[in-house]
Amino acid sequence: MQSETPSPWYKQPWPWFILAILGTSVVLGTTMLVIATKNPPSLVSDNYYEVGKGINTSLERENLAKQLGMQASLQVNDASGQVDLELVGQSRPQQVVLSLLSPTQPEKDRRVVLQPQADGHYRGQLQDPVSGRRFVEIIGQEQGQDWRLFEEETLDKGSVIRLGE
């Protein structure tokens, strides 16, 4: 009887298969780590205390808007980008700030300062068209205090958005 000498380990397929699995997991893990460090989540706040104080400020501004009886009718002309705002209530601020905020994509947020016109409306100009689901925020000022109208709306072509009702 002849005894066969086993071939060396590096000539066997199984050790290479196991090493390939380990090597692939190291490469994929390193890739995911690099992607995660270069693209941090933008919706996470580091300072929850400041966010909480901001919520209280927002509630105070919304309560002031209710006390003043503020309501708004907003229309955005998609072709020209003109924003027309009609305010109803006891406040006639020198200017109104309109924010159209995307719930998930901060790069799509738009802010426009609306100026009063002779007909009692406020008008401003958007640089690019805005459509879809947005948080619509209108901030004005009465006797040194800010008031705020805020609602989630879907912006469609030619639609009129009503806030504060």
Side-chain angles (χ1 to χ4, degrees):
M1 276 198 148
Q2 285 184 348
S3 69
E4 288 185 24
T5 53
S7 59
W9 70 270
Y10 54 86
K11 290 187 177 181
Q12 300 291 325
W14 291 110
W16 292 110
F17 178 72
I18 293 171
L19 286 175
I21 290 174
L22 294 174
T24 302
S25 66
V26 168
V27 169
L28 290 176
T30 305
T31 303
M32 300 220 10
L33 179 67
V34 168
I35 290 171
T37 56
K38 289 189 177 185
N39 301 310
S42 62
L43 299 177
V44 177
S45 174
D46 290 337
N47 193 341
Y48 295 104
Y49 179 72
E50 291 297 323
V51 171
K53 286 183 3 186
I55 290 170
N56 289 338
T57 302
S58 293
L59 292 175
E60 290 170 6
R61 294 185 298 182
E62 289 175 8
N63 289 336
L64 179 59
K66 284 181 186 176
Q67 289 173 1
L68 294 171
M70 298 307 297
Q71 295 181 352
S73 176
L74 176 71
Q75 189 167 14
V76 179
N77 185 333
D78 291 333
S80 66
Q82 183 173 347
V83 178
D84 185 52
L85 176 72
E86 180 182 0
L87 281 180
V88 176
Q90 300 174 11
S91 179
R92 291 289 171 249
Q94 294 297 317
Q95 67 182 15
V96 175
V97 177
L98 169 67
S99 299
L100 302 171
L101 308 169
S102 172
T104 57
Q105 298 170 322
E107 66 274 4
K108 291 188 175 183
D109 293 352
R110 300 294 178 260
R111 280 194 165 62
V112 181
V113 177
L114 306 176
Q115 300 297 333
Q117 304 298 309
D119 62 359
H121 288 215
Y122 289 80
R123 287 195 182 86
Q125 188 70 34
L126 281 171
Q127 299 302 319
D128 51 354
V130 177
S131 63
R133 187 173 145 227
R134 295 284 187 270
F135 293 118
V136 180
E137 177 184 61
I138 297 173
I139 297 178
Q141 198 172 55
E142 182 66 29
Q143 297 178 357
Q145 290 184 311
D146 287 344
W147 54 262
R148 173 183 184 229
L149 296 174
F150 182 82
E151 290 186 22
E152 181 177 352
E153 297 286 341
T154 300
L155 300 176
D156 294 325
K157 286 187 175 186
S159 66
V160 176
I161 298 167
R162 301 198 190 288
L163 296 118
E165 297 180 337

